[in-house]
Amino acid sequence: MSEIAKLELNGQTYEFPVIEGTENEKAIDISALRAQTGYITIDQGFKNTGSCTSAITFLDGEEGILHYRGYPIEQLAEKASFLEVAYLLIYGKLPTQAELDSFINSITKHTLVHEDMKQFFEAYPAKAHPMGVLASMVCSLSTFYPESLDPNRSPEAKDLTIHRLLAKLPTLAAWSYKNAMRHPFMYPKNDLDYCSNFLHMMFAMPTEDYKVDPVISSALNKLLILHADHEQNCSTSTVRVVGSSQSNLYSSISAGISALWGPLHGGANQEVIEMLEKIAKDGGDVDKWVLKAKDKNDSFRLMGFGHRVYKNFDPRAKIIKVACDEILEKLGVNDPLLAIAKKLETVALEDEYFKSRNLYPNVDFYSGIIYKALNIPTEMFTVMFAIGRLPGWIAQWKEMTEGNEPIGRPRQIYTGATNLNYVEISKR
Ligand code: CMC
């Protein structure tokens, strides 16, 4: 028998159905609450609110489980390619060889961006943060493809827009870096795979031969897979809400990039390295910084620690920690920041403050150290996160548009002034 939730309010009882997911998570469906009772719910930060049903990603924060379309993240990070995972997320199943070949072929064909876009880049100051540039450039793509403004034109048109965006994001990302360096843009090389092509556009120079190191390319592949989706987080919810107004894919993803930028979300990977550098510069006294993080009068937080949903461990952090050791060893990099990160992790994990609040290292704690070893500049770390998250955002946007979800429009409880009369400026 299906469960029913009962609400008693002012002497009356209301009943609401309980819905259950395929992994047995349960939710009280309150979609009729306001119509029946006149009341709404308040849930700041949506800590208890499900905004949709979704068949893309499952995560269990207590058990530290993360699945994309039913497949454990550990297996995908170990065995799959990033574009294979992108296909899985977007189209709902692992591709056959022929499907994957055709997907890769289509993406490879679209890696160039329109020459006119180069002028946009040149107009940005060298000190522009690449996340600001990326969000603007992705939105600008919509101006070059006006037919994409109707997200529901046809399945073929939707696929073309999706492939274009997947193809062009690495080009736009690499060019935002080249522009900041005031170096010449490197065009995509279509005989390279997705990750290698990005590295080529980032690090090659017209004056030198650049060969992509397969160790670096494979490390990048793993990092991108680990970031590819994470159900209804801040940026993904943003993409779904923007898309729910039937805004096009480019503008929805541009909004997602902006949401990701913040230090409490994707921006944390840049903050982690900056924090570790600060601790190192300050003499490396980890205990002092842990004390600061616990001090409620100090705004300092341990960046890369804590997560809204993981309350035991972050499975992505577990994989990244092992990968970090392996990659640094393979590349022969001895980064003193890694020693500080490990010490910080040990101290924090034994500290009552962090234990009682279930604060563990998250995906961003070690990813920055790997990016640094791969020579990715610190300001590009969150851009790397965006490249990784793109298939997830697209899959969520596609699911939302195809599910005919209503426009996202929360309510509020008004707490401002009431019934004032306008006073002339001379009399105020
Ligand atoms: N350092 C010190 N204290 C912390 C930290 C931290 N990193 N994170 C949470 N707390 C404390 C917080 O002060 C609060 O304490 P109290 O109960 O005494 O008021 C308690 O733990 C609960 O924190 P919260 O802010 O209410 O939890 P939240 O679920 O709203 O926030 C979070 C989650 C990730 C924003 C937060 O843990 C944080 O700011 N972490 C640092 C930033 C970070 O690493 N973000 C990346 C997240 S993973 C990448 C992604 O997917 O976005």
Side-chain angles (χ1 to χ4, degrees), residues 299-317:
S299 63
F300 174 74
R301 276 187 170 202
L302 270 196
M303 298 314 284
F305 257 78
H307 200 276
R308 170 61 62 79
V309 285
Y310 291 123
K311 298 301 176 198
N312 189 346
F313 67 92
D314 180 338
R316 303 166 301 172

Side-chain angles (χ1 to χ4, degrees), residues 184-234:
F185 298 141
M186 294 302 293
Y187 285 92
K189 261 184 101 188
N190 286 349
D191 56 333
L192 295 175
D193 64 69
Y194 196 80
C195 292
S196 304
N197 192 27
F198 170 72
L199 292 166
H200 156 77
M201 290 186 286
M202 277 285 290
F203 297 118
M205 291 288 270
T207 44
E208 293 158 20
D209 264 351
Y210 173 81
K211 250 189 118 27
V212 178
D213 182 338
V215 172
I216 297 185
S217 173
S218 131
L220 183 56
N221 182 65
K222 188 175 283 214
L223 282 170
L224 296 187
I225 290 174
L226 291 175
H227 286 88
D229 194 47
H230 213 234
E231 54 121 294
Q232 308 313 314
N233 54 81
C234 175

